[in-house]
Every structure is written in C-alpha cells, then in structure tokens.
Amino acid sequence: MTRAAAYARAIAARRAFRLPGYPTLAEAGFDGDYVSPIQMTSGNLTGPLLMSKDWLDAPSAEAHKAQLKRTGYLPNIPYNKVIDRVLRLLNLTRADIYITPVFHLLTPKRSSTIPAAHARASFDAIGRHELMGRRPVALGQDSARVLAHFNIDHIAAPHPSARIGSYDHRAQAIARAVRAA
C-alpha cells in the first residue's frame, strides 16, 4: 500500500471513529483532508513521526477556531513552543515532520485524562495506519504506553507540555529522540 493510500485510510478511519462523551473533529467543525488538523502544517508522510496524547480539547478548539482553521495548531502554547525549538535544533520546519495524536477525538476539557482503553481503541482504528513504516517518537508517557501495548517499536521522549525542566531541556530530549528514530 502506498503512503497516500495509507493516509487516505487513516482519514476515513478517523471520520468513522466514535466514542461516547468525545466530540469528533467533524462535530467541532474541523473535518478536513487530514487525520489531525496539526497536519495542515506538520503532515509530511515521509518525515519524522511524532505522536502525542491528543490534539486539543473541545473548549480550546472552539475558543481558537479561526487560528486553528488557518494553521491547525496554536503557536503560543507550551507544546508548540517546544516543538518549534526542536525544529530549530534539527534544522527542520513543520513541513518536514509528521505530528499526530494517539487519541483522535476531542477531549472534554484541557489536560483530560483519557482512559487507556479509549486511547488504544483510537490508535488501533486510526493511528496504526499513520505509521507507514516509520519508527515513531512517543511524546509523553500516554502515547508511549499505547505504542508499547501494540508492540510498536518507538523512541520515548518527554511530552512538550510536561512540567519538567525548561523548554530547552525538553526540546533537546525530543530532538535526540527524533535523531534516534
């Protein structure tokens, strides 16, 4: 299967996936030709694959809808400030990488805990199609646990929004993981 066909399959799977209590991207007004809106700027099918817990929560998506519809991400949140530092360290741009969540629905609130069974169901239905032969960098323990559950070879790195160390400390650790992957 080609990468484009695998990506199309992942998009179709994301559109079909539902779990009670979680809005879909379409229900929130973010359906598009991507698996996750962040891929509008970070969707390189051959680039390094970074997987984190989720894309965004429903209230934040609604509050920042105009910005998110333009770029697919919020540049001023810690997650993206750290990712931008990672890219500078690696001399890459967002267009050079692929970012996706393991959980492809919107959470009900910021920093929601996603039950492991829900994250696994989402990855099994959708995320496995996004691997395309790449060794993912698991950004944070939540994504690392999902990948480990499915015996997916990956490199663990801190979540960009983790409350450990400085932005630079986290960016250096993630850059090392991207190089290793």
Side-chain angles (χ1 to χ4, degrees):
M1 177 181 313
T2 67
R3 288 178 188 270
Y7 192 61
R9 180 179 277 181
I11 293 168
R14 189 258 307 150
R15 287 179 171 145
F17 187 73
R18 306 269 186 287
L19 280 175
Y22 300 100
T24 67
L25 292 178
E27 290 167 344
F30 290 99
D31 191 25
D33 290 329
Y34 44 70
V35 179
S36 176
I38 199 166
Q39 294 161 8
M40 292 166 58
T41 52
S42 301
N44 187 320
L45 299 182
T46 60
L49 169 59
L50 287 73
M51 299 187 105
S52 56
K53 178 180 89 164
D54 57 19
W55 172 60
L56 206 55
D57 61 276
S60 295
E62 181 60 32
H64 302 284
K65 190 173 262 188
Q67 169 72 40
L68 293 167
K69 286 208 167 257
R70 282 192 309 276
T71 62
Y73 74 102
L74 299 173
N76 293 320
I77 63 172
Y79 180 98
N80 287 305
K81 287 181 178 183
V82 171
I83 292 297
D84 286 340
R85 289 173 191 227
V86 170
L87 295 173
R88 281 193 297 275
L89 289 169
L90 297 171
N91 198 29
L92 296 174
T93 68
R94 284 185 177 265
D96 296 322
I97 64 172
Y98 186 95
I99 298 176
T100 198
V102 293
F103 187 71
H104 296 82
L105 299 171
L106 298 173
T107 58
K109 62 182 181 157
R110 197 166 163 215
S111 299
S112 290
T113 299
I114 300 166
H118 294 176
R120 289 178 194 149
S122 180
F123 178 83
D124 194 36
I126 305 155
R128 63 187 171 87
H129 300 295
E130 295 179 276
L131 297 173
M132 299 176 220
R134 296 175 289 185
R135 184 181 191 195
V137 173
L139 299 175
Q141 294 177 2
D142 293 311
S143 57
R145 279 192 286 267
V146 170
L147 293 169
H149 175 81
F150 289 99
N151 296 313
I152 306 293
D153 183 29
H154 65 279
I155 301 290
H159 191 280
S161 300
R163 292 178 179 97
I164 56 163
S166 66
Y167 285 5
D168 287 332
H169 171 79
R170 283 177 264 158
Q172 290 166 4
I174 295 168
R176 283 192 301 273
V178 170
R179 285 185 196 107

